Amino acid sequence: MNRIFTSLLILFAFFSVGSAQSYIKTDLGIKTSINKIAYEIQFFSPSIARVVKWPEESCFNKESLSVTRKPQHTNLNVSINGENLILKSDELIVHLNTKSGTVSFETTSGQPLLKEKQAGAEFTAFNDAGNATYNISQSFALEKHEAIYGLGILQNGKMIQRDLEVHMIQNNTQDFIPFFQSNKGYGLFWDNYSPTIFSDNQEQTTFSSEVGDGIDYYFMYGENADGVVAQMRELTGQVPMFPLWTYGYWQSRERYKSQDETVGVVKKYRELGVPLDGIIQDWRYWGNNYLWNAMEFLNEEFYDPQKMVNNVHNLNAHMIISIWNSFGPETKPYRELDSIDALMDFKTWPESGSFKWPPNPDYPSGVRVYDAYNPEARDIYWKYLNKGIFSLGIDGFWIDSSEPDHFDPKPSDFDNQTYLGSFRKVRNAYPLMTVGGVYKHQREVTSDKRVFILTRSVFAGQQRYGANTWSGDVVASWDALRKQISGGLNLTLCGVPHYNSDIGGFFLWDYQNPLQNADYRELYARWVQFGTFCPMMRSHGADAPREIYQFGKKGEPVYDAIEKYINLRYSLLPYIYSTSWDVTANQSSMMRPLVMDFPSDKKALNIDDQYMFGKSILVCPVTKSMYNKDGQADFSTIKKRKLYLPSGTKWIDFWTGETVEGGQTIAKETPIDIMPLYVKAGSVIPIGPDVQYAEEKPWNNLEIRVYKGADGEFTLYEDENDNYNYEKGLYSTIKFIWDDSENTLIISDRKGRFPGMLTDREFKIVMISGKNNLDSEHIIPVKYSGRRTSMNL
């Protein structure tokens, strides 16, 4: 009887008007079939629609690795107009042509957004390691002058990702996310994890993937770039807070070879009085390559790892350590993973058991990558990581080779069977799975220490796992420096806000004696300046050490420039930490491509070497050599860097206080210690105290800079700096509101509270307009006890 009743319901759910195609209305949208292709359109929210297609003779059943949002019931109006089946929510209209099968999207006011190409969906039978499936492809028609952004971290130096072809297979220096967003205010996520080709030309824009039981993509409408980022995070996960100390300065090298050397670097920074919050221990602390990634300190040079960690902590610094996704054959994790058939078989790093270069094939290392798709394997991975590393008090993890390394790939390599099918089927999601495994396990162990993971690769949704992605082992050059800017900005536009690069570049192949090379020393100083305005400021690389004292001493131009920007980073910590809260609470972004804040300024849309850091500071890195003359540093003549000031606002020179109108290109003097920085008129920026590490002093005497010329506001965020109590509401915010026409600053009532919170403090207000060198005579002290304060300035 129940079956008969269900069948009747299905029959009554069919609709047919005139010659239009029949369809089934579901709780989320519709199902239908056109030209032997099954279609399902689901609304996950009023602004997000999922489109799924598959050949009728097969079936499609998939649980997304990236998408965490469960579809919510959305009020939909479903109608038929001629050949078009129309689904309309409060935010979005989706058209399905019941004759051609093409899907198109438009706003509720009828503005076209995106349309599939006619006959743009392709399914080609494919044998995936014994599993009958398809190569799949879907093409779209973009407007001729439409700008699109995203696709992950590409080393192509492009801001707008048009007129190109990208082969998406995760690798060392490029991270691929099959997502783009348009300056028309929409985004598209191609939910597929197999090797994929993204291509864009005058005819069409296409995603083509090697493996897929069906075509599966999400269309989201956010009105603008921030809105699209918000929708992508609604779909794939929100961003947790990082600890305050992660935003300080980090020193690393390939590699510190003993615990005495590691601790000695921290001591040296403390002796020099140069701020430092963290040291990173790179590989081989485990010993030889047969013990690769043993997750134990088996190298005799690390004779007392607990003492090493304690010594670093006693110097008021933190420590993160390199871990990998592969294991040597003599390690305990290898043996246990092998016992459950959770090790894959393809060529990875290191290739030889010997440290010598090139690798000796007569002595293969036997190192194998683990199956991060297997939940039991992730449990084993964490068991050894927790016991051998985390239990020592290590503060975070550097998951290297998280793509993972795959050398000389053969088609048969992709036939490796993982817990979720062939390696080919899930290849590009590997970093998401391995990073997610560490995050979830640490959250289960403790809420007192926030997860912090530095990782070399990324996939859609990874922002939910406390990870900061760096751009891989790039070869140092001026061109490479510039490409890191657009790479990080396009990652931001995929919804992933935490990015950094190896300051100075990883490999120094183009430089002999780099520490004595004037061109490299200048490049390193400029990279430090760029790194100051990234979510993580981290110096690292091979071929030469990178500590500040390797670049001279106090009083010398390059040393002084490096020190200046490390100190600048620390002075901006209240601004940076509050911005990080804006990312977590309001789905904002830290590195902001100009399209985010100036979408109507056409000159700003394709600028690849400038960006906003937070919503107030325009950053203009210097990406060309200026002071290298015949191999010698020559600072006798000050050079200039041309830059564009976006229209619609006034800009205040961060260094001089001079006000400049937007909408023009200017030339700014750039001596070795000046990177052009401009503050948007109306900004309120908190400046922190001089410190040697992030938590050395309380923020009880912050300088509050008010940049006149427009109305503005800023919310100062504070919490306990390193636990998850903020998720329980234990934090405070103080909003500063500047009324430019009334010359009035309002400090609002403090909202919220947390243990150890400052209840009484003083703010030092500094007004900046016109020419202003921030002399002490411009400082106005204000006592604040949490109650609203208004002052006419």
Side-chain angles (χ1 to χ4, degrees), residues 249 251-254 474-481 501-529 538-552 557-559 561-562 622-635 672:
Y249 177 68
Q251 187 61 61
S252 183
R253 177 198 303 181
E254 193 289 296
V474 298
V475 178
S477 70
W478 289 97
D479 181 60
L481 169 57
S501 63
D502 290 340
I503 289 177
F506 184 75
F507 292 115
L508 307 185
W509 294 340
D510 296 337
Y511 295 95
Q512 292 187 354
N513 301 317
L515 296 179
Q516 286 73 48
N517 185 295
D519 188 52
Y520 181 71
R521 290 163 63 84
E522 182 183 354
L523 172 63
Y524 183 82
R526 294 304 193 188
W527 213 314
V528 167
Q529 293 167 10
R538 179 187 60 90
S539 172
H540 178 69
D543 305 324
R546 310 297 175 85
E547 298 79 21
I548 187 173
Y549 44 85
Q550 309 290 350
F551 293 87
V558 172
Y559 181 101
I562 296 169
V622 177
T623 58
K624 293 182 179 179
S625 177
M626 295 180 174
Y627 300 109
N628 172 34
K629 185 176 181 181
D630 300 325
Q632 300 295 318
D634 181 1
F635 301 110
I672 189 64

Side-chain angles (χ1 to χ4, degrees), residues 303-320:
Y303 50 88
D304 190 341
Q306 185 65 73
K307 181 181 179 182
M308 175 181 65
V309 175
N310 292 345
N311 286 344
V312 169
H313 288 167
N314 290 337
L315 289 164
N316 297 301
H318 293 79
M319 186 174 183
I320 65 178

Side-chain angles (χ1 to χ4, degrees), residues 358-410:
N360 187 339
D362 294 332
Y363 297 92
S365 69
V367 172
R368 295 170 68 186
V369 171
Y370 94 106
D371 180 4
Y373 308 96
N374 186 329
E376 186 179 355
R378 295 194 298 269
D379 290 345
I380 293 169
Y381 189 96
W382 174 256
K383 179 176 74 172
Y384 289 100
L385 179 59
N386 184 32
K387 180 180 179 182
I389 303 294
F390 189 58
S391 63
L392 298 173
I394 293 289
D395 300 292
F397 303 111
W398 176 11
I399 304 184
D400 209 339
S401 187
S402 55
E403 59 279 355
D405 277 317
H406 184 185
F407 299 152
D408 305 322
K410 305 184 296 293

Side-chain angles (χ1 to χ4, degrees), residues 556-663:
E556 296 178 355
V558 172
Y559 181 101
D560 288 352
I562 296 169
E563 183 181 32
K564 177 178 180 176
Y565 280 82
I566 293 175
N567 280 309
L568 176 59
R569 175 74 173 198
Y570 279 86
S571 72
L572 289 171
L573 282 182
Y575 174 80
I576 293 170
Y577 198 56
S578 298
T579 298
S580 75
W581 170 247
D582 197 26
V583 170
T584 295
N586 303 312
Q587 301 170 319
S588 187
S589 299
M590 298 190 77
M591 293 178 69
R592 300 176 57 82
L594 298 185
V595 67
M596 283 188 140
D597 296 290
F598 310 98
S600 60
D601 186 346
K602 293 183 179 180
K603 293 182 179 179
L605 298 186
N606 200 28
I607 292 178
D608 61 13
D609 61 349
Q610 298 176 210
Y611 60 97
M612 298 294 291
F613 188 63
K615 295 175 181 175
S616 297
I617 303 175
L618 177 66
V619 181
C620 311
V622 177
T623 58
K624 293 182 179 179
S625 177
M626 295 180 174
Y627 300 109
N628 172 34
K629 185 176 181 181
D630 300 325
Q632 300 295 318
D634 181 1
F635 301 110
S636 60
T637 302
I638 296 177
K639 304 297 179 65
K640 294 182 178 181
R641 187 246 206 250
K642 286 187 177 181
L643 58 95
Y644 179 71
L645 297 174
S647 63
T649 186
K650 296 177 181 178
W651 295 94
I652 296 92
D653 188 316
F654 180 84
W655 304 109
T656 68
E658 178 185 5
T659 298
V660 187
E661 289 291 336

